[in-house]
Amino acid sequence: FKYKNTIIILDRKLKINVDTNIIKSSKKRRIIIFTMSKNKEKVNVLKKMNCEIYKFRNTGKFFDLNFILKKCYKLGICSILIESGSKLFTYMYNRKLIDELHLFLSKKIIGKKGISMYESNKKLSLKKFDHLLIERKRFINDLYYHYNM
């Protein structure tokens, strides 16, 4: 199959709702789900909906990214856009798994103090990346930064 784009979902407990638009679009695009779940019934439902399911072992707190990245490469996927929260970003950044970063900043605060993009006791300053900046744009009150890591 040749797909315009592939969606990769990391869902440790396979909590994704089969009625979501992403899953429903599995006839039009390739959907790959990595999970640790042993829920055979849900796996079978997702497979019938044309989703590819790959199980990975429990490595403690986090996904087995080595397995996931190697599997993606074997499946012919060499470029991945990751939309993540602070845990996945921090994990990947600390292991030098990011080669390009597209960062969108908004003045909107989530929660009382906001949510950091980097999860650590150490502060991560964007000034550290100034020499890696490729592009910067302003969208009304929001900023976009593109870095070559």
Side-chain angles (χ1 to χ4, degrees):
F1 290 96
K2 295 285 182 191
Y3 295 94
K4 184 176 180 182
N5 56 20
T6 298
I7 303 290
I8 299 171
I9 300 168
L10 307 181
D11 186 352
R12 287 172 43 166
K13 296 180 181 177
L14 207 56
K15 290 182 176 181
I16 192 160
N17 186 329
V18 296
D19 291 323
T20 61
N21 288 335
I22 287 177
I23 298 300
K24 287 180 179 179
S25 72
S26 62
K27 298 291 183 202
K28 298 177 191 167
R29 59 181 162 192
R30 188 177 190 186
I31 307 289
I32 299 171
I33 301 172
F34 289 96
T35 187
M36 291 181 351
S37 175
K38 296 178 181 175
N39 184 340
K40 291 179 183 179
E41 185 177 322
K42 191 159 187 184
V43 167
N44 288 333
V45 168
L46 288 163
K47 283 183 175 180
K48 285 180 184 173
M49 296 179 77
N50 206 37
C51 296
E52 298 173 42
I53 310 292
Y54 297 97
K55 293 187 179 179
F56 61 90
R57 60 184 162 77
N58 186 350
T59 58
K61 291 183 180 180
F62 218 74
F63 297 100
D64 186 351
L65 284 179
N66 285 332
F67 168 79
I68 292 168
L69 293 173
K70 285 177 184 176
K71 188 65 175 178
C72 287
Y73 182 77
K74 287 178 184 176
L75 294 169
I77 299 167
C78 300
S79 180
I80 301 173
L81 170 75
I82 298 173
E83 294 182 37
S84 74
S86 63
K87 287 181 184 178
L88 182 57
F89 173 77
T90 301
Y91 184 90
M92 294 189 71
Y93 174 77
N94 288 341
R95 285 157 184 80
K96 299 183 182 351
L97 295 172
I98 299 171
D99 59 2
E100 195 172 331
L101 177 64
H102 297 267
L103 182 62
F104 295 86
L105 297 177
S106 175
K107 291 184 179 182
K108 295 178 184 173
I109 304 294
I110 300 172
K112 290 181 181 178
K113 295 182 181 180
I115 298 173
S116 176
M117 68 179 238
Y118 186 73
E119 190 174 87
S120 175
N121 295 335
K122 302 175 190 174
K123 289 273 186 185
L124 180 67
S125 171
L126 291 179
K127 289 180 183 179
K128 178 179 180 175
F129 303 124
D130 279 350
H131 66 289
L132 303 171
L133 184 65
I134 295 172
E135 180 180 18
R136 179 180 185 230
K137 288 184 182 179
R138 179 176 291 281
F139 299 99
I140 305 172
N141 292 324
D142 298 336
L143 294 173
Y144 163 73
Y145 297 92
H146 179 193
Y147 298 97
N148 191 1
M149 306 297 278

